[in-house]
Amino acid sequence: MKKIILSFVFIWFFIGSLAHFIFTNSEAKIIPGYIPWHVADVYVSGFLEMLGALGLLSKKTRSYAGFGLFCLTIAVTPANVYMAMHASKYPDIAPWTLNARLVFQLVFLWMISWSSEIRWRLH
């Protein structure tokens, strides 16, 4: 089961990272206005998603990549909350999916943590 979930996490971030570079302007529109440099943010987060996804492939880097992806998922939460609160700006997306995504994000954080075997102990 862990390999299946790890594969899902890898695919999610790998494809997601590509979307940052292919659909840059669409991705930039979901960033709240109080966060500066929308296009740069999309490129940086896309690069970090790709780096994290690739890091999941090696047992040596998996827990570090998982930790980075966990933090990145939390960092993009304001964009997901913004979309849910301003659903009318996204008429092509059903409002219920925007809310469901916030719930899924909690489950996804667990999936990242468990499948990548993040070591939460500080040394």
Side-chain angles (χ1 to χ4, degrees), residues 10-22:
F10 168 79
I11 291 167
W12 183 276
F13 281 111
F14 186 81
I15 292 174
S17 70
L18 296 177
H20 283 71
F21 298 102
I22 297 169

Side-chain angles (χ1 to χ4, degrees), residues 14 27 30-31 34 45 75 79 82 97 105 114 117:
F14 186 81
E27 296 276 342
I30 72 170
I31 298 173
Y34 61 85
S45 60
Y82 178 82
T97 62
Q105 192 164 343
W114 183 68
E117 300 180 358

Side-chain angles (χ1 to χ4, degrees), residues 7-109:
S7 297
F8 176 79
V9 171
F10 168 79
I11 291 167
W12 183 276
F13 281 111
F14 186 81
I15 292 174
S17 70
L18 296 177
H20 283 71
F21 298 102
I22 297 169
F23 306 109
T24 306
N25 291 331
S26 295
E27 296 276 342
K29 289 178 185 176
I30 72 170
I31 298 173
Y34 61 85
I35 297 174
W37 310 302
H38 293 185
V39 171
D41 292 339
V42 170
Y43 285 134
V44 169
S45 60
F47 173 76
L48 293 173
E49 283 189 17
M50 177 66 72
L51 188 65
L54 295 174
L56 293 174
L57 298 176
S58 168
K59 284 191 177 204
K60 286 186 175 184
T61 57
R62 185 170 297 148
S63 66
Y64 299 107
F67 181 75
L69 292 171
F70 188 96
C71 293
L72 183 61
T73 300
I74 291 171
V76 301
T77 297
N80 295 338
V81 171
Y82 178 82
M83 286 184 75
M85 292 177 65
H86 300 92
S88 62
K89 291 184 177 189
Y90 309 98
D92 295 339
I93 304 172
W96 72 267
T97 62
L98 298 174
N99 293 313
R101 182 167 70 172
L102 293 173
V103 174
F104 171 73
Q105 192 164 343
L106 293 172
V107 174
F108 195 53
L109 286 168

